[in-house]
């Protein structure tokens, strides 16, 4: 079993202090681990469970429920393209096809150079800028194939 | 119809946030000072009740009434539980909804002040903002506003010498639509799977960690400082029809100028569409979702509908979040319904069978229809689902919400959907439930 870094442990303990029941920090603990490691491995999940004081099974039940926790390695930049109604109406399908062709991957896959992972995401709340996607933490809206090329070039 | 800027009065083009000094210069934090100095907690609740404020997150429940369900401990402080909570639902994930993000990014202090007043009104000592995971910019700005407010003595212990204590924390979600359901949200906040809870007990009796809790939407609560400052009568007269106040309306999809605008509640739907530039390329309106993915479709026959709770209700839909998703005459309705039902099937928490198994089935039927592989009987099967997944048949409102657009789609566009079934199709529908893992998740 691995141990988490002191930075991770301190960040998790801080979150635990914000709740009447420290176990409430389960989700934050996963997010903290992911922030430091890119994704949540079985070993990291078990180590985080020890810090929070819940069982690995409880941790896993939460980890597999939420969209933003990755239980497999992902690329350096995760692309989440909004597949909900406003983006559907404004050309999501064309942008998705272009992304898949340009990157040579399907949903759930990572480019061989580990640069990008492609995932669908529910409505990003960027409906007036559809079609929209998120790369890492950045929003990019009003996508066209040309704009997609320019945006992808920003992420090395 | 003109914009009436109450909630958005400080918000700039480009959303450059208003920080404390500027917020105070514009009269900010005065409502909270007035509350502490002049009003008893229950008096704030009475004011909100009298103003007729209703929830802006989708369900439209009267806010003052929700607050009145909270147990009071002023007369019996020895019975006060360890904590009483206010939780702000900022998990904006309703498809086509992008309004709370504007309020949090553009004027973060408004929400924090609103939370302080509302917490005082219900006797809460801890308040959380349950924020969707993608809204990292909101997180940064709200955290800065909380820090500034704490520094100024608006949060913490014995606030402004009143004896009132309050702490505010942010919780970043890890993403699931069902977190927007208030009891599922409480499960998520406790660090568990966001599975809805049985009601009763309602959150006011047993909410977060089993303590008395009220859950309110961002936009709803942002009205509170203005009601406290200007009074219930002022608030009521802001409305253009039956309900009082303003609303952040929005339009996305096939309009010329998609965006948001604060207008009187009850503004005519056709006027709103005009405000957003009308339908793109001079086309005609086919249908719209008046307030997000789970509000039943309306058509060009409903342009005179006053956009408030009563008006949209009378037209056969719901005001929902007030952000319209607009479709022009070229839009195939089967694609719209398939997109929506895919979303609901994927986002079902899986707790109860009708929702978990019924929604993928609906999605599969619509997928087949769109691909020209429908069967006679498919329309009737879809119709049956609107009954079997309707109100009262499932554990929470997720599946009934999903049936809203489907039922209305069948009502207004039945012929268009039926025409998709090939003439030479088998007579039996052997539709298999869809594979919900079709969207690979890492």
């Amino acid at each position: 079993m691995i141990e988490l870094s002191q930075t991770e442990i301190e960040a998790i303990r801080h979150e635990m202090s914000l709740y009447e029941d420290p176990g409430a920090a389960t989700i934050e603990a996963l997010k903290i681990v992911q922030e430091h490691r890119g994704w949540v491995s079985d070993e990291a999940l078990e180590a985080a469970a020890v810090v929070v004081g819940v069982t690995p099974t409880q941790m896993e039940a939460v980890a597999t429920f939420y969209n933003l926790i990755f239980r497999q390695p992902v690329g350096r930049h995760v692309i989440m393209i909004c597949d909900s109604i406003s983006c559907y109406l404004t050309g999501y399908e064309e942008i998705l096809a272009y992304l898949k062709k340009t990157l040579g991957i399907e949903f759930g896959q990572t480019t061989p150079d580990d640069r990008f992972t492609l995932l669908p995401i529910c409505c990003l709340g960027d409906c007036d800028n559809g079609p929209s996607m998120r790369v890492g933490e950045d929003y990019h809206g009003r996508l066209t194939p040309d704009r997609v090329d320019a945006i992808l070039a920003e992420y090395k | 119809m003109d914009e009436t800027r109450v909630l958005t009065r400080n918000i700039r083009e480009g959303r450059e946030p208003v920080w404390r000094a500027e917020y105070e210069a514009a009269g900010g934090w005065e409502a909270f000072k007035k509350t502490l100095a002049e009003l008893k907690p229950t008096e704030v609740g009475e004011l909100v009740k009298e103003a007729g404020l209703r929830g802006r997150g989708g369900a439209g429940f009267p806010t003052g009434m929700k607050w009145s369900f909270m147990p009071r401990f002023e007369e019996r402080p020895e019975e006060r539980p360890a904590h009483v909570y206010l939780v702000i639902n900022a998990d904006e994930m309703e498809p086509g909804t992008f309004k709370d993000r504007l309020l949090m990014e553009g004027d973060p202090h408004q929400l924090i002040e609103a939370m302080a007043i509302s917490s005082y009104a219900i006797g809460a000592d801890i308040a959380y903002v349950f924020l969707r995971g993608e809204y990292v910019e909101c997180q940064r700005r709200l955290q800065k506003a909380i820090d500034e407010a704490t520094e100024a003595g608006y949060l913490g212990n014995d606030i402004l010498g009143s004896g009132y204590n309050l702490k505010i924390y942010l919780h970043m979600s890890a993403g699931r639509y069902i977190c927007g359901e208030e009891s599922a949200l409480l499960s998520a906040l406790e660090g568990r799977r966001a599975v809805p809870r049985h009601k009763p007990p309602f959150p006011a009796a047993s909410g977060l960690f089993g303590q008395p809790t009220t859950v309110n939407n961002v936009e709803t609560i942002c009205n509170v400082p203005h009601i406290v400052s200007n009074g219930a009568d002022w608030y009521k007269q802001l409305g253009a029809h039956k309900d009082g106040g303003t609303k952040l309306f929005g339009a996305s999809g096939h309009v010329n100028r998609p965006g948001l605008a604060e207008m009187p509640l009850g503004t005519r739907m056709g006027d709103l569409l005009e405000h957003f530039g009308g339908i793109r390329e001079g086309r005609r309106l086919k249908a719209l979702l008046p307030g997000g993915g789970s509000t039943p479709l309306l058509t060009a026959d409903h342009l005179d509908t006053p956009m408030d709770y009563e008006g949209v209700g009378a037209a056969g839909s719901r005001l929902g979040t007030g952000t319209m998703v607009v479709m022009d005459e070229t839009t195939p309705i089967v694609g719209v319904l398939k997109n929506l039902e895919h979303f609901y099937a994927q986002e079902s928490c899986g707790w109860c069978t009708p929702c978990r198994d019924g929604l993928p089935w609906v999605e599969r039927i619509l997928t087949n229809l769109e691909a020209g592989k429908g069967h006679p009987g498919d329309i009737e099967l879809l119709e049956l689902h609107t009954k079997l997944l309707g109100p009262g048949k499932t554990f929470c409102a997720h599946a009934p919400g999903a049936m809203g657009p489907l039922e209305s789609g069948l009502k207004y566009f039945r012929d268009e959907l039926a025409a998709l079934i090939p003439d030479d199709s088998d007579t039996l529908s052997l539709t298999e439930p869809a594979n919900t893992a079709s969207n690979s998740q890492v």
Side-chain angles (χ1 to χ4, degrees):
Chain A
M1 193 170 127
I2 60 162
E3 280 191 16
L4 300 183
S5 69
Q6 209 51 44
T7 324
E8 286 166 298
I9 292 172
E10 276 167 25
I12 294 171
R13 290 208 172 124
H14 170 71
E15 289 296 333
M16 289 165 68
S17 74
L18 306 184
Y19 300 92
E20 193 177 328
D21 171 6
T26 300
I27 297 167
E28 274 95 348
L30 288 162
K31 293 183 87 171
I32 289 163
V33 166
Q34 180 164 295
E35 197 184 309
H36 285 81
R37 292 157 195 268
W39 65 292
V40 182
S41 66
D42 289 348
E43 293 77 16
L45 182 140
E46 284 173 27
V50 171
V51 177
V52 178
V54 298
T55 66
T57 315
Q58 284 171 306
M59 203 58 135
E60 174 72 346
V62 167
T64 51
F65 189 85
Y66 293 97
N67 298 336
L68 302 180
I69 305 295
F70 307 137
R71 290 290 277 118
Q72 288 175 32
V74 291
R76 291 194 295 284
H77 311 289
V78 177
I79 300 174
M80 292 184 160
I81 178 163
C82 173
D83 65 2
S84 292
I85 188 68
S86 303
C87 289
Y88 165 80
L89 290 171
T90 48
Y92 147 79
E93 283 166 326
E94 185 199 354
I95 299 303
L96 176 64
Y98 187 76
L99 271 171
K100 285 181 173 176
K101 191 181 96 191
T102 306
L103 299 171
I105 54 175
E106 293 293 316
F107 273 146
Q109 295 180 341
T110 300
T111 53
D113 58 0
D114 278 339
R115 194 162 148 222
F116 293 113
T117 298
L118 182 63
L119 292 173
I121 190 79
C122 315
C123 184
L124 282 170
D126 201 28
C127 317
D128 51 343
N129 290 313
S132 181
M133 68 177 181
R134 204 170 169 253
V135 184
E137 290 190 351
D138 311 325
Y139 276 74
H140 300 282
R142 312 230 166 178
L143 298 173
T144 59
D146 282 351
R147 260 185 59 70
V148 168
D149 284 338
I151 291 161
L152 293 182
E154 290 170 31
Y155 298 88
K156 301 299 173 196
Chain B
M1 187 57 74
D2 293 330
E3 292 189 57
T4 306
R5 298 181 57 162
V6 178
L7 307 182
T8 56
R9 66 194 177 125
N10 292 332
I11 296 179
R12 289 183 268 249
E13 194 79 22
R15 303 186 182 187
E16 184 57 31
V18 172
W19 298 117
R20 195 187 110 212
E22 202 183 339
Y23 182 72
E24 285 174 336
W29 285 107
E30 288 302 321
F32 184 50
K33 288 182 199 163
K34 175 181 170 182
T35 300
L36 291 180
E38 299 172 19
L39 296 171
K40 288 189 196 133
T42 47
E43 286 173 340
V44 183
E46 285 306 316
L47 204 54
V48 167
K49 203 182 259 182
E50 208 185 306
L53 176 62
R54 294 176 65 171
R56 307 289 199 243
F61 195 80
T63 308
M65 193 189 291
K66 198 181 221 183
W67 288 4
S68 72
F69 299 151
M70 290 292 277
R72 312 297 323 189
F73 301 101
E74 286 88 356
E75 309 293 319
R76 43 190 183 109
E78 69 286 354
E79 288 176 34
R80 197 187 150 82
H83 298 291
V84 174
Y85 294 108
L86 173 72
V87 179
I88 298 304
N89 187 344
D91 192 55
E92 185 163 73
M93 284 181 81
E94 180 72 22
T97 302
F98 51 104
K99 65 181 181 67
D100 293 338
R101 187 176 158 204
L102 173 75
L103 295 173
M104 293 186 282
E105 288 183 351
D107 198 1
H109 271 276
Q110 176 174 247
L111 175 62
I112 303 304
E113 182 182 11
M115 287 175 71
I117 299 169
S118 307
S119 296
Y120 174 81
I122 61 167
D125 62 316
I126 296 181
Y128 291 100
V129 183
F130 188 97
L131 191 56
R132 75 170 292 185
E134 288 87 351
Y135 281 5
V136 285
E137 196 51 44
C138 296
Q139 177 191 21
R140 291 189 194 110
R141 295 180 187 190
L142 287 174
Q143 189 57 55
K144 181 169 170 182
I146 291 169
D147 294 344
E148 283 189 337
T150 307
E151 204 173 288
Y154 298 139
L155 300 174
N157 290 331
D158 189 20
I159 298 167
L160 306 176
S162 66
Y164 178 61
N165 306 331
L166 176 67
K167 290 193 183 71
I168 295 182
Y169 300 117
L170 297 182
H171 170 95
M172 292 301 281
S173 179
R176 273 309 281 273
Y177 172 70
I178 196 65
C179 295
E181 198 278 342
E182 73 172 9
S183 69
L185 183 149
L186 295 175
S187 296
L189 199 45
E190 290 176 1
R192 297 186 284 115
R193 289 166 78 97
V195 173
R197 303 175 179 182
H198 189 274
K199 296 179 193 176
F202 288 90
S206 177
L208 187 62
F209 306 115
Q211 315 280 25
T213 305
T214 290
V215 183
N216 285 132
N217 162 265
V218 171
E219 184 188 352
T220 310
I221 224 74
C222 283
N223 284 285
V224 173
H226 305 290
I227 293 171
V228 167
S229 295
N230 302 300
D233 289 338
W234 167 85
Y235 188 78
K236 279 191 277 193
Q237 59 80 33
L238 290 174
H241 184 233
K242 292 197 172 158
D243 293 302
T246 61
K247 179 82 191 72
L248 267 182
F249 289 110
S252 65
H254 298 160
V255 289
N256 282 314
R257 285 195 304 274
L260 292 164
E262 186 177 5
M263 311 272 254
L265 256 177
T267 299
R268 187 179 162 269
M269 187 196 279
D271 293 345
L272 275 178
L273 278 177
E274 225 162 275
H275 182 88
F276 294 110
I279 311 297
R280 67 172 185 184
E281 294 166 30
R283 292 184 183 147
R284 283 181 304 178
L285 173 70
K286 177 165 184 170
L288 60 78
L289 299 158
S294 55
T295 55
L297 290 160
L298 295 175
T299 68
D301 292 339
H302 300 107
L303 289 174
D304 286 328
T305 303
M307 288 282 281
D308 66 359
Y309 301 94
E310 298 226 1
V312 185
S317 186
R318 288 186 299 113
L319 179 66
T321 59
T323 42
M324 304 182 291
V325 179
V326 181
M327 301 147 212
D328 72 20
E329 58 191 319
T330 67
T331 315
I333 213 70
V334 68
V336 168
L337 294 177
K338 190 193 80 171
N339 179 278
L340 290 167
E341 299 309 330
H342 167 74
F343 170 83
Y344 289 104
Q346 176 187 285
E347 292 303 314
S348 169
C349 81
W351 179 259
C352 70
T353 312
C355 180
R356 184 188 60 228
D357 289 356
L359 290 173
W361 199 345
V362 167
E363 183 193 347
R364 173 59 71 91
I365 297 169
L366 291 163
T367 304
N368 284 344
L369 282 175
E370 190 182 36
K373 294 178 184 164
H375 300 267
D378 278 356
I379 304 297
E380 291 73 16
L381 199 50
L382 287 173
E383 210 157 40
L384 181 65
H385 275 85
T386 66
K387 309 282 186 302
L388 296 177
L389 300 184
K393 301 290 199 300
T394 56
F395 199 63
C396 79
H398 181 85
M403 292 301 102
L406 180 63
E407 196 176 1
S408 55
L410 289 165
K411 182 166 140 197
Y412 299 123
F413 304 103
R414 193 186 178 99
D415 292 347
E416 180 183 330
L417 291 165
L420 296 167
I421 301 170
D423 294 336
D424 58 350
S425 172
D426 300 342
T427 48
L428 269 180
S429 170
L430 296 173
T431 310
E432 293 292 322
N435 174 12
T436 46
S438 58
N439 258 342
S440 321
Q441 282 287 333
V442 166

